[in-house]
Amino acid sequence: IPQLLYNVPGRTACDMLPETVSKLAGIENIVGIKEATGDISRVHWLRQHCPDSFTILSGDDATALDLIAAGGQGVISVTANVAPKAMHQMCESALAGKFEQAQQFNATLAGLHKNLFFEANPIPVKWALYRMGLIKSGIRLPLTLLSDSYHQRLETDLKRAGLL
């Protein structure tokens, strides 16, 4: 079964160093990595030290465009749960080398990239989808509803992205 490495130190409390990734990339069924450190220099290093077929995906929406520009192939996105079309357009433009156009899409999403993490994922995503009229209010325990103090800022981000 093809496997994707998951390097998200903010969630795992362990950083998978590029040298480790390079060694693991030599294993037949390890096909890529979700790289969420935000350190774009790692993409350059991985491109030089991993097989050409090794897929590098961003796990950090805020730096996804930069990761693609550095040789990555896309993003495993939180923002795409709320704005799938705009994230697709941003990635498609970047992968086609249309970075000015990609930046325009990305600029409308910048607030979401940041503010969908006011509280633990998926709390802000669920609230945004509720506010957009796509789901009912509520969330399963142990998660709680998004704090009222974040509603206005997230609503502003949704409007900026053309979602409200």
Side-chain angles (χ1 to χ4, degrees):
I1 298 173
Q3 301 291 310
L4 192 66
L5 301 173
Y6 184 77
N7 191 32
V8 186
R11 292 222 181 247
T12 63
C14 179
D15 184 6
M16 197 177 312
L17 297 177
E19 295 81 6
T20 302
V21 173
S22 176
K23 287 179 183 177
L24 293 171
I27 298 172
E28 184 179 338
N29 67 319
I30 295 181
V31 298
I33 186 168
K34 175 183 176 179
E35 175 60 49
T37 61
D39 181 356
I40 302 306
S41 67
R42 288 185 179 212
V43 178
H44 299 290
W45 195 95
L46 292 172
R47 276 285 144 247
Q48 293 175 354
H49 295 89
C50 293
D52 290 341
S53 61
F54 190 74
T55 299
I56 302 172
L57 301 171
S58 175
D60 176 47
D61 288 313
T63 59
L65 177 55
D66 293 334
L67 182 133
I68 293 170
Q73 287 88 4
V75 59
I76 297 175
S77 172
V78 171
T79 302
N81 288 291
V82 175
K85 183 177 180 181
M87 281 299 294
H88 171 76
Q89 291 169 319
M90 186 276 290
C91 290
E92 188 175 58
S93 297
L95 289 167
K98 300 175 182 176
F99 294 107
E100 187 174 312
Q101 183 178 17
Q103 183 55 45
Q104 290 173 356
F105 287 117
N106 201 47
T108 66
L109 299 170
L112 290 173
H113 294 334
K114 177 183 174 188
N115 296 332
L116 286 174
F117 293 93
F118 277 140
E119 293 184 2
N121 185 32
I123 292 170
V125 169
K126 296 284 190 178
W127 185 88
L129 293 173
Y130 159 71
R131 181 63 187 86
M132 293 165 62
L134 297 173
I135 64 173
K136 294 179 182 178
S137 179
I139 198 161
R140 290 184 298 162
L141 294 172
L143 300 174
T144 58
L145 294 174
L146 182 69
S147 299
D148 291 343
S149 61
Y150 299 126
H151 290 192
Q152 186 59 48
R153 284 190 281 174
L154 195 48
E155 188 167 308
T156 298
D157 296 330
L158 292 170
K159 288 178 182 174
R160 187 173 295 125
L163 300 168
L164 289 181

